[in-house]
Structures are given as C-alpha cells and as structure tokens.
Amino acid sequence: MKIIVCIKQVPDTTEIKLDPVTGTMIREGVPSIMNPDDKGGLELALRLKDEFGAEITVITMGPLKAEAIIREAFAMGADKAILLTDRKFAGADTLATSNTLAGALRTLDFDLIITGRQAIDGDTAQVGPQIAEHLDLPQITYVENVKYDGKKTLSVKKATEEGYQILEVETPCVLTVLSSANKSRYMSVRGIVEAFNKDINIWGFEQINVNEKKLGLGGSPTRVAKSFTRGAKAAGQLHEVEPNEAVEIIVNKLKEKYIIR
Amino acid sequence: MDKAKYKDVYVFIEQREGIIQSVSLELLGKAVELAAKHGEKVCALLLGDNIQGLANDCIAHGADKVIVVDSPHLKYYMTEPYTQALYQIGEKFEPGIILIGATTIGRDLGPRLSARLATGLTADCTALEMSEEGNLMMTRPAFGGNMMATIVCKEHRPQMSTVRPGVMYATARNESRKGEIINFLPVFDSSKFRVRLLETVKEERNLVDITEANILVSGGRGVGDAEGFGKLREFAQTIGAEVSSSRALVDAGIVTHNRQVGQTGKTVRPDLYFALGISGAIQHLAGMEESDYIIAINKDKYAPIFQSSDLGIVGDVKKIVPLLTERLKR
C-alpha cells in the first residue's frame, strides 16, 4: 500500500502570548512544530505500515525551513518526502493550497491520502476535503480510527458531536485525521540517525500538474481585509478573601440573579 | 464572472433525523439582517428524506424562500449526495451568499462544495457583516484565537462561510410569516456515492450539548483530578447547571471532548459561566467571553481569567467549591 500524508509546519499557537501593552501578538520565540492533527495522521499511516507494510511519503508546502518537520517524520518512520516550495505558491488561501497539493498528488501513485483534520494556525479544516474534490476521490473527515482488510476496503471510525459513525470506503480515498485518534510514537534513535541521511525531494511549480492561475495569492478567492487583536473587556470586581466569605459573595450573586432563592 | 447575477442569502438547513439543528436557526436570524442591507431575500436550503414538513419552520424563523430537496439519497448526511444537490442548486439559483453551520457536517460539506463551485470559503466565522458594496465581511479567529481576521471574497460567488454554533442569534418564531416553497430535484450520479454508512452510534456521554446550557460550571487545571471535577459536578447539580471544562482536563482524560469550551472546543454563551481553576488562556476565552456573567475562582490573582470576569475570587477552588455546595444544600 502506498500512503501519502500531508503535513504542515505551524507555530505552536499555545505558546503565543499577547503583548500586554500593545495587544499585538508576540511571535518571537514561538516554536515551529508539526501540526498536531497531521502528526496524528502520520501515526495512523505508520500503524497501517506496521500491520500491513506500506510505503509512506510525506508532502508539505512551505518554506525550506519546513525541512525540520520532514526530518521528524522520517525519524518517526516515513520513507519518502516532498517539499513543495516556490514563490508561485506563496500567499495561498485554502483553495489555492489545495490546488497546489492536488497538483503534486496527481503526479504520484497512491492508495490512500491522509491529512490532519485541521491545522492549529488556521483551524479551517478545509484543505483535506478540497484536495479530495480536486482529485475526485471520496473523503472521510474527523477520522479516529481505521481498519483495513489488507486489500481495498477501509472501515473508518468518524467522530461526530453525538458519538461516532462507522463508514466503509474503498481505496483510493482521502481521510482527515484527529490528533486525539492515536498517541504519536516517539522518534527512534535509529530513525533520528537515518532521518538525516534521507533525501528530500524539493519540488517547484515545474514539477506539479496544475494551472498556474489556480495557485498562490492570484489563485485565492479569499483575502484578508484586516486583522486585529481582540480587546479584553473591562475586568470586574476582584475579591481576595477567606473561603467562607467567598462563598457568601457568590451566594449573594446567585440570589441577585434569581438562580437561587 | 458576472457578480450581479448572484444574489440573496442562502442558509443550509442542517437537520438530523428530521430535527433542524439550532445553528441553522441562528444562521437564518443572521441572514435576515444581512439580506435587509441591500433588499435581498433569505433562502433556506432544506435537504433530507421526508422533510417537507420542516419548510414552514424555516419560514417561521425568517426564510422568504425554502428550496426543498426531498430524496432517499439524502436520508442522512453523506458528503457526495449532499454536495451534488447543493452544487446543482448553486448553478441554477446563483446564490450571493451560502451560510453553513460549522458542525462536523458543515465542516465536511463546506470545503467540498466550495471547491466544486470553485469559490472561497471562510471557516468558523464569529461575525458577519454586509458591506456597502455587497461583500460579506467574514470575521474569524486565527492563530489559535490570538488574532481576529476579517476575510472577503470579492471576485467569486457565492461567498461561503461556516459559522460556529452558539455565535449568532435566532429570531423568534413567527407563525404568521409567509414564504415560498420550491421543490427541487437534482440529477444524482450515484456512481460517485463511494462511502457507505454502516453504523451511527450515539454515546450517552455525548448527548449533552453544553451550548444549550443556561449555566455552566467549567473546570480547569486548578481543579486537580477526577475527584476534584466530581466536586464541580456536585456543585453544578445543586444549581441546575451543566459541567464543562478547559482543554487541560480534556487532555488529562477527565472530561470528554464534547464538553470542552474554547477555540478547539465549543463556543458557549450561557447566562452564567463559572470559570473554576481556569487560568484563562486566550484559546479558552475565545469560547466563553460572550457569556452574560462570568464568575471566576483562581489561586493566582494575576490569572488572565480575571481580566474577563465580572466577579473574581482569588482562592482555592478545591476549598471554596465544596463549601459552596454545602451552603447551597442547607
């Protein structure tokens, strides 16, 4: 089985702080990581590889420094890697990004494409289904787990608000995976050593199969009109008191709001 | 593209087992406001099997037109049949705007449909506004809620947006409203229906919807462990509240994900929100700061939650909450 996993390098948004004076985002010192849902997707691919044997290719679009997450993917057990980097790809919204990735995927052999459900820098959850549409493949999103019959059929557990669904689909198809699905493995020592000896294929516009008009800023239907930080609302009263007094303050407030009598 | 042909505000009505989801009614409420700006109409897109009866509910909640697609292929949500139906509606009716709830269904459907219509989609919007020029100004959080961005889709139509449940307000039901009902039957290509639904499982633990609660008692890292969260449950019961949490307790396996409030969880807007042992990371604030009244208890008097709370208590949740429960039981 040939599996392609789409991964993205993102700033660790849980580490971003706002400047208390200017209210702007402090980006300095924020680490770049492999997007958590993508890592969950890679783990799912690795488990299929462990059980059935598979060749795993990771693909990412980004600047050259995205090599860091590719090396990490190698160390976890990925076999091949493609880094899509070209000025023509820059400034892309989700649709243009999915066109770029689909353009690369069209030139490759695969049975299964895995993406993370969403990336923590944008939280859009759009690129996976958009890739599936461009390649005319069935999609299943919010994937928690997969059972493979070893031939063509996948039985997929999909998370919903109310519980889950079990869906069945034949390869080739696209799955978007939750990070909570599987605890990702650590990089192995051997993996880390090998990771630095493996080659990364660096592809630009010439290597992919897509109309240039669909890429980058020019191929993006949506634009950012403005961006701003959310202003904090005025703080209310703050009481630093003994627990018993705190209880009375809260009880009085509950009475005032007619929650208790 | 001749943008002028594309008009009116369309809302995808999400129904599950014949029940219209609250987010769809909230979107109808918003659509009424957006449509009024340039004298446009509100159009509900009602898809399902044997769902004719729901058309009047859409009208009562603000729709001027309801396009009904009634087909056994649409009995439950599946990506491809729903995308085919909505794509054909998009081609025939030429909507100016399509709004979709940012649920697991809407977030599966929206990107697939937008790619087929070759237009833009803005995910998880928290504010929508119509500009003078007729562009939809779509505001959403980015970078984990650290920033807000307003997105436009100027040159492509329809303008598409998914909106988180609990963010917009439904208008009150009005039985006397009149509207037009249009039946539409798309041509389905069932050879593309390549995913089969074998089983739908509802888990008891998932049945509570915290976005519907009037009072939420929410716990964070400061609650400690499962036993500590048990104390919160007990307190919640005494005042008829539901429990929820920040991400910390979900990651720790103490609380299920469907009760998580915040950027990667749910947006809630209860009358009263207790933030107990929650420091107030921006990701959490993004999901609860619209609550009418916020009471926070935290040991750290500099915790950011106090910047967003109406009533703050500096103290130990583990001590105060059991006392509070005891006092209320008296």
Side-chain angles (χ1 to χ4, degrees), chain B residues 139-195:
Chain B
T139 300
R140 69 182 304 271
F143 288 103
N146 289 282
M147 267 180 60
M148 304 298 286
T150 302
I151 314 283
V152 282
C153 177
K154 271 190 186 160
E155 305 300 332
H156 293 70
R157 292 290 181 272
Q159 307 168 83
M160 291 181 62
S161 158
T162 64
V163 178
R164 299 185 70 145
V167 176
M168 305 298 174
Y169 294 88
T171 50
R173 196 182 166 88
N174 179 353
E175 299 291 348
S176 66
R177 286 193 87 259
K178 295 273 180 291
E180 183 189 359
I181 297 175
I182 302 164
N183 281 289
F184 178 75
L185 199 61
V187 181
F188 287 108
D189 175 3
S190 59
S191 71
K192 301 261 175 155
F193 300 170
R194 289 169 289 190
V195 179

Side-chain angles (χ1 to χ4, degrees), chain A:
Chain A
M1 172 138 88
K2 289 190 168 168
I3 307 175
I4 299 178
V5 184
C6 301
I7 60 177
K8 184 181 185 187
Q9 189 178 46
V10 293
D12 187 349
T13 53
T14 57
E15 297 292 324
I16 294 177
K17 301 260 181 325
L18 295 183
D19 185 313
V21 181
T22 62
T24 53
M25 220 162 69
I26 306 170
R27 292 202 205 201
E28 277 152 44
V30 176
S32 289
I33 56 169
M34 191 191 308
N35 178 51
D37 280 351
D38 302 350
K39 205 167 181 176
L42 178 58
E43 178 60 32
L44 191 103
L46 290 165
R47 289 185 187 194
L48 288 169
K49 180 181 174 180
D50 291 345
E51 199 174 345
F52 299 97
E55 180 194 85
I56 299 175
T57 302
V58 291
I59 184 165
T60 188
M61 177 176 119
L64 288 170
K65 76 178 177 78
E67 179 186 339
I69 59 163
I70 290 179
R71 297 289 171 204
E72 185 182 355
F74 278 152
M76 286 172 69
D79 302 294
K80 294 182 175 175
I82 298 166
L83 171 56
L84 297 170
T85 193
D86 196 311
R87 297 184 96 151
K88 291 190 167 110
F89 304 159
D93 71 356
T94 64
L95 191 68
T97 301
S98 66
N99 279 323
T100 312
L101 287 162
L105 292 163
R106 269 188 205 105
T107 69
L108 300 169
D109 265 343
F110 56 82
D111 300 292
L112 178 59
I113 296 172
I114 294 177
T115 73
R117 169 200 43 171
Q118 64 192 33
I120 56 171
D121 54 350
D123 289 318
T124 72
Q126 286 173 198
V127 172
Q130 287 170 337
I131 289 171
E133 173 62 20
H134 300 317
L135 301 176
D136 190 20
L137 294 172
Q139 75 189 42
I140 301 178
T141 54
Y142 291 86
V143 172
E144 282 191 329
N145 204 356
V146 170
K147 283 188 192 134
Y148 177 47
D149 72 350
K151 299 184 198 82
K152 282 215 52 107
T153 307
L154 297 168
S155 167
V156 180
K157 184 178 177 189
K158 172 193 171 91
T160 67
E161 285 86 354
E162 295 157 326
Y164 62 89
Q165 291 181 323
I166 305 293
L167 300 153
E168 206 172 64
V169 66
E170 269 78 46
T171 57
C173 60
V174 175
L175 306 179
T176 83
V177 176
L178 300 172
S179 64
S180 53
N182 298 296
K183 196 168 167 51
S184 306
R185 65 196 60 196
Y186 293 105
M187 297 179 274
S188 68
V189 174
R190 193 176 138 210
I192 293 169
V193 174
E194 287 178 355
F196 284 90
N197 297 323
K198 282 189 183 159
D199 290 328
I200 298 174
N201 294 295
I202 297 182
W203 287 9
F205 173 68
E206 300 303 325
Q207 279 77 34
I208 69 172
N209 174 12
V210 66
N211 184 333
E212 189 181 338
K213 289 202 177 92
K214 293 186 169 182
L215 305 179
L217 190 62
S220 298
T222 62
R223 298 286 163 89
V224 177
K226 61 173 178 184
S227 61
F228 51 97
T229 46
R230 42 171 80 234
K233 78 173 187 184
Q237 319 151 305
L238 192 60
H239 302 270
E240 207 170 348
V241 293
E242 287 304 305
N244 280 317
E245 199 178 329
V247 165
E248 290 315 312
I249 292 169
I250 294 170
V251 166
N252 287 334
K253 187 52 75 178
L254 293 176
K255 282 181 182 164
E256 193 185 305
K257 296 203 153 287
Y258 300 105
I259 287 161
I260 54 170
R261 281 190 292 169

Side-chain angles (χ1 to χ4, degrees), chain B residues 265-329:
Chain B
K266 289 181 174 155
T267 305
V268 297
R269 206 175 45 197
D271 299 335
L272 178 58
Y273 187 90
F274 283 91
L276 306 178
I278 292 175
S279 63
I282 193 122
Q283 284 86 356
H284 185 75
L285 297 179
M288 47 64 80
E289 64 189 355
E290 297 286 310
S291 304
D292 282 354
Y293 198 86
I294 298 167
I295 299 179
I297 306 179
N298 203 293
K299 269 200 242 183
D300 174 9
K301 76 189 258 198
Y302 299 107
I305 191 72
F306 290 131
Q307 296 300 315
S308 292
S309 56
D310 299 284
L311 174 62
I313 305 278
V314 181
D316 187 352
V317 166
K318 288 184 224 166
K319 285 185 189 141
I320 296 171
V321 171
L323 281 173
L324 192 54
T325 310
E326 202 183 303
R327 166 75 174 75
L328 292 173
K329 279 183 174 167

Side-chain angles (χ1 to χ4, degrees), chain B residues 48-117:
Chain B
D49 184 23
N50 275 320
I51 36 76
Q52 286 283 356
L54 302 178
N56 285 323
D57 295 327
C58 299
I59 294 169
H61 281 282
D64 302 304
K65 276 192 296 188
V66 185
I67 298 176
V68 180
V69 189
D70 206 327
S71 162
H73 290 310
L74 305 173
K75 185 168 172 57
Y76 35 80
Y77 172 77
M78 295 294 281
T79 313
E80 187 58 28
Y82 271 70
T83 305
Q84 286 186 11
L86 290 167
Y87 173 75
Q88 289 172 48
I89 289 172
E91 293 285 285
K92 183 176 159 69
F93 293 89
E94 300 179 323
I97 292 171
I98 302 178
L99 305 179
I100 300 174
T103 60
T104 56
I105 287 178
R107 296 174 101 236
D108 183 271
L109 171 69
R112 188 89 196 196
L113 179 63
S114 70
R116 198 165 296 184
L117 289 166

